Amino acid sequence: MILKTMRLSSLPINTLINLPKSLFLISPFRFRNLNRSLTVASRISSTLLRVSGVSSRPCGYWFSTNAAMTNVGEEDKQSIPSIELKENIELTDKERKIFDRLLSTLRYCNLDTQLRVAGGWVRDKLLGKESDDIDIAIDNMSGSEFLDKFKEYLSSRDEEVQGDTVIERNPDQSKHLETAKLRIYDQWIDFVNLRSEEYTENSRIPTMKFGTAKDDAFRRDLTINSLFYNINSGAVEDLTERGIDDLKSGKIVTPLPAKATFLDDPLRVLRAVRFGARFGFTLDEELKEAASSEEVRVALGEKISRERIGNEIDLMISGNGPVSAVTYLSDLKLFSVVFALPSSAEPSPPENCGSLSQSYLEAMWSLLKTPRPGKFSGEQRRLALYAAMFLPFRKTVYKDTKGKSIPVVNHIFKFSMKRKTSDAETVMNIHQTTERFRSLIPSLEVKKDVELDELTWAADILEHWKSITLNDPVIPATSKIRVLTGFLLRDIKDFWRVSLLTSLLLSATVDGSNDHQDIGQLDFQLERMRETYLTVEATIHELGKR
């Protein structure tokens, strides 16, 4: 009765979205059996989409720079030219003040100590990129000992530290070394001692001891991360004797033999993939062979916590080379290790699910890369990529301890990657509304009702619509589509554009909605997807104003 009073047939979408939950009539999502083996023949043109913000009509354009087809991931894996590095590290005024204060501490306390900035800060500065991630390695004392010396120096000047803390060693949480943190000129800096590591065969926890700068360089994951900047001398130190060369040539290489490096700490495999994708660098052949070995894959699954794995994957997906990262995971046979599924998953995913996920991800990445990235927030972009990557699993379920069927995507987020529950819920909701969005697209494209009475999921809503409009002398031509779209947007809220893009990806299957095909090919017609997206987006904005 309330619905009739509100004249649902003429309400604008914005009003429908804000209806009380009790009036939400969408029928629950039902999982259908997906029992098919898919092979991927996906070739995606280099196409960009520019979309608007929340304006009433989109202002933008699509264009294709190359009509020829390219291999999956090719746009992120072009040949790497020689990279020009800075001859010297150029310090900012703030960095110079910080380092001068540290050196003043050495002089005041009469310390024969070498202070070195380690790892990513050195790499990024040589590449001409700014970095605020300053980690300092000390050659003859612990971080906490240096912290005490720094406080002593400040006390002599009647000053106090802005902030400090000591993070104790906690091997169970993958914290193998005590770290002192100090705030200087509003900048947090980590202090640790130089060390060497020894691993036992079946333990991920190394035995730590003081080491030389060379020991410390060779224990690191990659040569490009093993460089030091000696604060005392102002010189860059390449103690592996290949970090600079690998940075120039764009290579991802381990300082020590790759297989031993990965077996010592299997998380280094994912870090190698992440840095390769981030910088567009090439993975060394020995590294790839080691990473794809059965021993390393088993070690990754058994020795590394799922939370640490999830952190690395999140950094890959949130970075600037997610397609390359997932391509590497698939090529190195790591996809099923990282995104582990429960044994009770039904229907069983296709053997090539990694390649299939990679293809959906690349298509979504192509659609999201726009001249105005403000169209999608960082969170929307991240979850859009996850939603695309996990499309092959959208109808796969497993039984929980109570025998209830749960979407396997929930397991991937909550158990395989230890991500937030809200991430799982949002991606599952995108998948659910994607099926419904897809059925509304024909009507939204032409701005009139097209076979809407055949939609099973909309039966309850349309039944109410018919009773409300039975004696209505003026029924808008877009009455049905406005109501159905309003309820759909009510369910997906701020992620409706992501749901729309995801629904368009499903149209890439050559034979449409046949979920039981033996062989499926993906044909991502991005130009067509672009046109459809902009048309539907404009229609929804128009319906929202009425």
Side-chain angles (χ1 to χ4, degrees):
M1 300 300 292
I2 297 176
L3 291 177
K4 180 176 288 188
T5 302
M6 295 172 67
R7 293 178 61 84
L8 189 63
S9 61
S10 58
L11 287 176
I13 285 181
N14 292 340
T15 301
L16 288 169
I17 293 174
N18 294 310
L19 284 176
K21 191 67 175 179
S22 59
L23 299 183
F24 188 60
L25 303 174
I26 301 295
S27 58
F29 179 67
R30 295 181 176 89
F31 291 98
R32 289 178 291 171
N33 185 36
L34 176 60
N35 186 16
R36 59 179 179 170
S37 174
L38 294 177
T39 58
V40 182
S42 174
R43 297 295 182 264
I44 304 176
S45 60
S46 177
T47 308
L48 299 177
L49 163 65
R50 178 173 180 172
V51 292
S52 67
V54 192
S55 59
S56 60
R57 65 185 181 91
C59 57
Y61 55 90
W62 289 62
F63 62 92
S64 176
T65 60
N66 185 3
M69 300 303 179
T70 61
N71 290 327
V72 171
E74 186 172 332
E75 83 281 2
D76 290 320
K77 296 172 63 177
Q78 299 174 352
S79 59
I80 306 298
S82 179
I83 297 170
E84 185 176 349
L85 302 183
K86 296 283 186 180
E87 291 186 7
N88 300 294
I89 286 183
E90 299 173 1
L91 301 180
T92 64
D93 290 340
K94 183 177 182 179
E95 290 166 342
R96 187 174 292 105
K97 289 170 64 177
I98 290 172
F99 295 165
D100 285 346
R101 176 141 286 202
L102 297 178
L103 292 175
S104 295
T105 300
L106 299 184
R107 289 191 292 268
Y108 175 81
C109 297
N110 195 28
L111 299 176
D112 183 19
T113 299
Q114 297 288 309
L115 301 177
R116 293 175 171 89
V117 186
W121 181 89
V122 186
R123 177 201 65 226
D124 291 347
K125 296 289 280 190
L126 288 173
L127 290 171
K129 304 175 185 294
E130 291 304 317
S131 174
D132 59 3
D133 184 19
I134 301 178
D135 298 328
I136 294 180
I138 311 168
D139 69 338
N140 60 2
M141 67 179 68
S142 68
S144 59
E145 289 173 327
F146 182 81
L147 179 57
D148 290 337
K149 297 295 184 182
F150 186 79
K151 289 179 178 178
E152 182 182 334
Y153 166 69
L154 289 185
S155 178
S156 72
R157 298 169 58 88
D158 294 326
E159 297 179 26
E160 295 182 354
V161 294
Q162 288 184 319
D164 68 284
T165 185
V166 175
I167 302 174
E168 300 294 336
R169 180 175 181 269
N170 188 352
D172 290 337
Q173 296 297 320
S174 302
K175 186 65 181 175
H176 304 310
L177 193 70
E178 175 193 272
T179 301
K181 299 177 75 72
L182 180 63
R183 189 174 178 85
I184 309 176
Y185 294 115
D186 298 320
Q187 169 86 44
W188 281 103
I189 301 174
D190 288 0
F191 295 84
V192 296
N193 58 272
L194 293 172
R195 71 265 198 197
S196 63
E197 298 175 346
E198 291 183 3
Y199 288 83
T200 59
E201 182 177 352
N202 296 315
S203 175
R204 64 178 176 82
I205 301 174
T207 299
M208 292 285 192
K209 60 182 181 180
F210 273 86
T212 65
K214 190 169 185 178
D215 291 334
D216 199 276
F218 273 94
R219 72 160 186 86
R220 293 181 178 269
D221 53 0
L222 304 171
T223 57
I224 64 171
N225 294 336
S226 66
L227 300 167
F228 291 115
Y229 173 74
N230 190 310
I231 296 176
N232 300 60
S233 65
V236 174
E237 298 173 341
D238 182 4
L239 301 179
T240 67
E241 298 183 356
R242 63 171 302 168
I244 296 292
D245 288 342
D246 289 337
L247 200 55
K248 285 181 178 179
S249 58
K251 291 182 180 179
I252 299 296
V253 186
T254 56
L256 295 173
K259 192 167 187 178
T261 297
F262 293 155
L263 289 176
D264 282 347
D265 183 358
L267 190 70
R268 291 168 175 167
V269 177
L270 300 185
R271 286 176 58 82
V273 167
R274 175 162 64 87
F275 283 113
R278 173 182 171 183
F279 294 112
F281 286 4
T282 302
L283 300 190
D284 176 67
E285 288 301 319
E286 179 194 346
L287 184 151
K288 289 194 292 185
E289 182 178 350
S292 61
S293 69
E294 179 70 14
E295 292 173 87
V296 170
R297 287 188 284 122
V298 169
L300 177 62
E302 293 181 351
K303 292 177 67 174
I304 303 301
S305 72
R306 284 290 159 179
E307 183 176 12
R308 294 182 76 200
I309 289 175
N311 287 339
E312 286 295 324
I313 298 302
D314 240 12
L315 289 171
M316 294 179 197
I317 297 300
S318 301
N320 59 354
V323 176
S324 286
V326 174
T327 299
Y328 280 136
L329 293 177
S330 179
D331 291 347
L332 298 175
K333 304 175 184 177
L334 297 171
F335 190 91
S336 61
V337 178
V338 171
F339 306 114
L341 303 182
S343 57
S344 61
E346 294 181 356
S348 298
E351 292 182 2
N352 65 332
C353 62
S355 298
L356 191 58
S357 294
Q358 165 195 325
S359 296
Y360 279 123
L361 175 72
E362 181 165 18
M364 179 64 83
W365 180 241
S366 297
L367 295 175
L368 289 174
K369 286 195 304 184
T370 73
R372 292 178 61 190
K375 177 68 176 184
F376 294 93
S377 69
E379 186 74 349
Q380 289 172 334
R381 170 189 173 279
R382 182 178 70 91
L383 293 177
L385 292 172
Y386 274 128
M389 183 166 62
F390 295 145
L391 268 178
F393 306 110
R394 71 189 186 281
K395 296 179 182 178
T396 302
V397 299
Y398 72 102
K399 300 288 187 181
D400 66 6
T401 55
K402 297 181 180 180
K404 182 180 178 181
S405 291
I406 306 294
V408 80
V409 170
N410 181 73
H411 183 279
I412 294 174
F413 276 102
K414 295 180 67 174
F415 301 104
S416 298
M417 297 196 298
K418 293 287 185 181
R419 299 295 88 191
K420 298 179 296 184
T421 298
S422 60
D423 284 355
E425 292 174 346
T426 299
V427 170
M428 288 189 294
N429 200 19
I430 290 170
H431 286 171
Q432 177 181 338
T433 54
T434 287
E435 301 284 354
R436 287 184 253 154
F437 224 140
R438 188 180 179 190
S439 65
L440 295 181
I441 286 176
S443 295
L444 290 169
E445 280 191 287
V446 298
K447 300 182 182 180
K448 63 181 181 181
D449 302 341
V450 178
E451 299 181 353
L452 295 178
D453 291 332
E454 306 299 321
L455 301 181
T456 303
W457 66 266
D460 291 340
I461 298 175
L462 291 178
E463 191 66 31
H464 280 275
W465 178 86
K466 290 178 182 178
S467 64
I468 293 169
T469 59
L470 184 63
N471 299 314
D472 196 332
V474 181
I475 303 175
T478 56
S479 177
K480 288 184 184 178
I481 190 63
R482 179 191 293 112
V483 170
L484 294 180
T485 303
F487 274 102
L488 180 60
L489 268 60
R490 168 67 173 81
D491 189 35
I492 196 64
K493 298 183 175 65
D494 292 340
F495 283 84
W496 69 266
R497 290 183 179 85
V498 173
S499 181
L500 173 56
L501 286 178
T502 308
S503 70
L504 293 174
L505 296 185
L506 292 180
S507 66
T509 304
V510 171
D511 55 0
S513 60
N514 182 2
D515 289 330
H516 302 284
Q517 59 186 332
D518 293 327
I519 297 178
Q521 289 183 318
L522 297 181
D523 181 19
F524 292 110
Q525 299 180 24
L526 296 186
E527 283 294 332
R528 172 59 180 157
M529 289 182 184
R530 175 269 301 178
E531 295 169 0
T532 301
Y533 175 84
L534 293 179
T535 299
V536 171
E537 184 191 45
T539 299
I540 290 175
H541 281 300
E542 182 179 337
L543 292 174
K545 294 191 300 180
R546 292 183 180 181

